[in-house]
Structures are given as C-alpha cells and as structure tokens.
Amino acid sequence: MNDISEHTHMLTLRPVRRFCHAATVLASTDIYASAVVASNETPDTPSNQIRNLKPLDKPALEKLKAERDPEKLFNLFKANAHNKLVIENRFAFEDTISRLAGAHRFDYIEQLLEHQKTLPQGRREGFIVRIIMLYGKAGMIENAMQTFYDMHLYGCRRTVKSFNATLMVLAQTRDLVAIEAFLSKVPERFGIEVDIFSVNIVIKALCDMGILDKAYLFMVVMEKAGIRPDVFTYTTLLSAFYKINRGEIGDGIWNLMVLKRCFPNLATFNVRIQYLVNGRRAWQANDVMALMQSIGIKPDEVTYNLVIKGFCQAGYLEMAKRVYSALHGNGYKPNVKIYQTMIHYLLKGGKFDLAYTMCKDCMNRNWFPNVDTIYTLLDGLKKSKQVDKAIFIMRLARRRVPPFSPKQLGRLQSILSDS
C-alpha cells in the first residue's frame, strides 16, 4: 500500500484502541440513519406500544402534510408537541423538519426539537438519536453535537448507538480534525466501546474525502484492536479504489476479503462488475455475474444493466441481447436505464427493428428516451422504409407526460415531414 506510513500520524488511533477490546462485531452492514434509529427500538419501547393505540388523528396528520406556510407549519406541529401519536410518527416528524429546513427556518427547527428533549420521550436513547439525525439532515451540526453531549441532562443514557449517530452527522462536515477528536476523546470520556458501525462510518467519510490509503490503514488498525471488518467495510473500500482506477489495490482488497472469509454480497459484486465494464472488460464482467449466480447470489437490475452496457460498448450486441433475454427469464422487468442503454447501442449498430420494439415498449410505460435517441430512431426507420413504424413512435412521443416541448416535437416531426 503506497505511502500508508506517512498518514499514521494524521488520525490518532491509540485512544480508540483502548476502548475497543470488547467491541461487538455486528453482522449487519447497513450503517445508515434508519439502521441507527431502528436499532434503538425494543419490544417494550413506547414507539412499539403505539401500535396498540387508536390510529393517528388523520385530520392533524393531513394538516401537517398539506401546510406549506413555515410559520403555520411550526405552530401546528408545536400544538401537537404532546401528542405521542404525532411525535412517534416518523414521517410526520421528519417531513416537518425537512420542510422547515427547506424554508431556512432553523430557528423553528431548534425550538421544536429542543422542546421535544424536555418531554418524557427525551429519556429514550432511540428518540434522542432521531433528534440528532434530524439536526444533521437540517445541516445543524452544532445542535446535533450538543444534543449528544447533553443527553445526561434529560436522564438519557449514552451508548454506542447515539455515539454512532453523532459520528455520522459529524462525518457530513468532512472535517478530519473534528472527526479525529470526536473518535479519540469521546469514547474514553463516556465509557463507550466503538463497534463496526463506528469503523464503517469513519471509513466511508475518509473515502468520501479521497483519503483512501488512510481509510485502508484505519481498517487494518481497528482489526488489530479487535473489530473485524464486515462486507460493508470491504465494499466501501473496493468502490473507492476502483473509482479512481487503482484496480490493483481494489483487487487486493477483494482477495483479502475472501481470504478473511468475509464473502461478497450483491453490492460488492456490482461494484466489481462496474469496474470491469468501465475498463471495457465485458467478458470478465459477464464471468463475475455467472460466478455470483453459482454461489447463490441473484443479479439485480443494476447487474444486468451493467453487463448489457459492457457488451454494447464492446460491440457485442448479440451477447447484450442474450443477457437482456436472461433478465426476462429470471423474472425481472427492464427499467428505464436498461431500455436507454439497449436502444442507444442498437441504434448505433443499425439494429432499427429491435430498437423500435424496445422503444415502443418503454414509451408505453411512459419511460421515454431522450429526444436525440428518438430522432435517430425515426431517421433510421425512415431510411429503412419503415415509415409506418416511425409514425407510430411519433404518435407515442406526443402522448408523453409531461409533454415534450413544441420545439422538441417540431424537431421530431421534421423527420417525417421530409419524407
């Protein structure tokens, strides 16, 4: 690994090492906000008890959803601040905060969330985690941090769950110094043992900042401290190294992952296939798709689209059609990206009949290729003396919702007018 040693002083790891000796290795690989919040909910928490109560007051919920004036929205939510059925409705809560943030009414957000901390639900870590994440989504990082530091004031116990939520919010800032300080000081201060979620948050942040060698080094050191990397760890690093075309390191991480008996999942395989397709290695991408199927991992629409694109780019249209057929055979329906890819390359290869069939199919689903693609198809059909088909495509184009502009339709119609 190039120049990894030069980075060791940039992220202090010794304090973290002391708190990780008994850290739990989590099987789950999802570190996003939904997982952090959901992991705090237990069978006896109030949010689960809500299921046994009467349904949410629909008029109140509908008013919150429909209100567009920030001040009225604030007052409406504030009036329901003690209504557990409103507060425990995650969508209503998050949607209100999101819309207030969009209106730049951060003062209203602070008033609402600070008031929520003083209510009985403020003693639940799961609820405080939600407050932290909402502050983060609103870009109010300092408020999120302070909420974590003040948890004891509400009688709420801190665990690695609220630590990870705060670390995730802090990672949004891409402030390496702040992340380093939080990671090295806070676990010791509050007696928190960091876990694989914590490690993955830091590695993702380092990769997003483009500090890939240090991200790899962090994984190595944390594994020595007792926290084994999981498939999310390896997939994050693979994706980051492949994106900057450091394939030899990406391949090495893949081999290391398998050697450590941490087996790739669908996302990992898609990252690998994306890299091969970008490198114009369509046959190898197809082999990887066959490998994943042989070990029981079903390709998804992303996998098929990547392999189809790879064969199309390499000029193997017949292979692309075979993969397209396999997609149907496995019970998947083409999405707009697959249609767009196939139609583009079929037109490029002069396969106007199949391009017409696929274009007609996707347009009937209200998935429309761009105007340039439709123009090329109309021109090809006209030159191959299939004017009836061109007229039918033009008819479908006029039915688009939302409609093409008059200028765009005029350009398409000009092909037929010249016939």
Side-chain angles (χ1 to χ4, degrees), residues 144-164:
M145 301 287 292
Q146 199 59 50
T147 297
F148 173 77
Y149 287 124
D150 289 346
M151 284 175 67
H152 62 283
L153 300 178
Y154 324 121
C156 184
R157 187 172 68 94
R158 294 180 194 83
T159 72
V160 70
K161 295 169 185 177
S162 50
F163 172 84
N164 285 343

Side-chain angles (χ1 to χ4, degrees), residues 138-189:
M140 302 171 71
I141 309 301
E142 290 184 9
N143 296 74
M145 301 287 292
Q146 199 59 50
T147 297
F148 173 77
Y149 287 124
D150 289 346
M151 284 175 67
H152 62 283
L153 300 178
Y154 324 121
C156 184
R157 187 172 68 94
R158 294 180 194 83
T159 72
V160 70
K161 295 169 185 177
S162 50
F163 172 84
N164 285 343
T166 311
L167 180 61
M168 193 183 304
V169 169
L170 186 58
Q172 295 174 202
T173 66
R174 300 195 175 190
D175 185 337
L176 185 58
V177 174
I179 295 171
E180 175 189 4
F182 187 79
L183 186 65
S184 61
K185 296 176 182 178
V186 169
E188 182 176 29
R189 177 178 170 183

Side-chain angles (χ1 to χ4, degrees), residues 352-353 356 376-387 389-391 393:
F352 296 109
D353 283 339
Y356 163 76
T376 303
L377 174 59
L378 293 176
D379 189 48
L381 290 172
K382 174 188 168 184
K383 288 178 178 177
S384 59
K385 302 187 184 304
Q386 300 183 72
V387 178
K389 290 182 177 179
I391 292 172
I393 291 295

Side-chain angles (χ1 to χ4, degrees), residues 294-314:
S294 71
I295 63 174
I297 299 177
K298 289 183 64 175
D300 64 358
E301 290 92 338
V302 173
T303 319
Y304 283 112
N305 190 52
L306 287 170
V307 176
I308 288 170
K309 180 180 179 181
F311 279 126
C312 286
Q313 288 177 333

Side-chain angles (χ1 to χ4, degrees), residues 15-197:
V16 177
R17 197 175 295 127
R18 292 204 300 270
F19 311 123
C20 298
H21 62 281
T24 303
V25 178
L26 301 182
S28 172
T29 62
D30 184 4
I31 67 167
Y32 292 102
S34 59
V36 174
V37 174
S39 65
N40 286 280
E41 304 295 351
T42 57
D44 58 348
T45 56
S47 63
N48 286 319
Q49 294 171 4
I50 292 301
R51 297 172 187 167
N52 300 321
L53 301 178
K54 64 180 181 180
L56 183 66
D57 179 13
K58 287 187 177 180
L61 182 59
E62 290 172 2
K63 287 178 182 177
L64 282 169
K65 186 176 180 180
E67 186 56 67
R68 290 294 175 263
D69 182 87
E71 185 173 356
K72 291 179 180 178
L73 178 64
F74 166 74
N75 289 326
L76 183 59
F77 196 91
K78 189 176 179 181
N80 285 276
H82 293 272
N83 185 344
K84 287 186 178 180
L85 294 176
V86 172
I87 298 307
E88 296 294 343
N89 185 286
R90 189 167 295 157
F91 173 80
F93 207 148
E94 294 183 358
D95 183 59
T96 298
I97 299 302
S98 175
R99 285 190 283 140
L100 288 174
H104 301 283
R105 292 311 307 256
F106 303 109
D107 54 334
Y108 287 165
I109 293 174
E110 185 172 19
Q111 288 183 56
L112 289 180
L113 296 185
E114 291 303 309
H115 181 243
Q116 286 298 312
K117 296 179 195 177
T118 67
L119 301 179
Q121 58 262 33
R123 293 193 291 271
R124 283 189 359 246
E125 186 181 27
F127 192 81
I128 293 299
V129 163
R130 194 193 304 179
I131 299 280
I132 291 170
M133 299 303 296
L134 287 172
Y135 269 136
K137 288 180 180 179
M140 302 171 71
I141 309 301
E142 290 184 9
N143 296 74
M145 301 287 292
Q146 199 59 50
T147 297
F148 173 77
Y149 287 124
D150 289 346
M151 284 175 67
H152 62 283
L153 300 178
Y154 324 121
C156 184
R157 187 172 68 94
R158 294 180 194 83
T159 72
V160 70
K161 295 169 185 177
S162 50
F163 172 84
N164 285 343
T166 311
L167 180 61
M168 193 183 304
V169 169
L170 186 58
Q172 295 174 202
T173 66
R174 300 195 175 190
D175 185 337
L176 185 58
V177 174
I179 295 171
E180 175 189 4
F182 187 79
L183 186 65
S184 61
K185 296 176 182 178
V186 169
E188 182 176 29
R189 177 178 170 183
F190 296 114
I192 294 172
E193 293 178 347
V194 300
D195 60 13
I196 188 59
F197 278 61

Side-chain angles (χ1 to χ4, degrees), residues 259-285:
L259 183 66
K260 298 277 189 177
R261 302 193 65 78
C262 178
F263 297 108
N265 61 15
L266 175 62
T268 320
F269 274 108
N270 282 345
V271 165
R272 171 75 178 157
I273 290 171
Q274 173 79 73
Y275 169 69
L276 293 171
V277 168
N278 289 347
R280 299 296 193 268
R281 294 153 70 182
W283 290 102
Q284 285 179 262

Side-chain angles (χ1 to χ4, degrees), residues 175-239:
D175 185 337
L176 185 58
V177 174
I179 295 171
E180 175 189 4
F182 187 79
L183 186 65
S184 61
K185 296 176 182 178
V186 169
E188 182 176 29
R189 177 178 170 183
F190 296 114
I192 294 172
E193 293 178 347
V194 300
D195 60 13
I196 188 59
F197 278 61
S198 319
V199 173
N200 286 339
I201 293 167
V202 174
I203 286 176
K204 179 68 164 60
L206 292 172
C207 288
D208 288 344
M209 288 186 275
I211 317 173
L212 274 55
D213 290 344
K214 185 158 40 173
Y216 177 84
L217 175 65
F218 186 71
M219 178 189 73
V220 171
V221 174
M222 296 310 293
E223 184 173 17
K224 289 180 180 178
I227 304 181
R228 293 181 58 194
D230 63 10
V231 68
F232 187 91
T233 319
Y234 288 114
T235 302
T236 301
L237 288 168
L238 272 171
S239 179

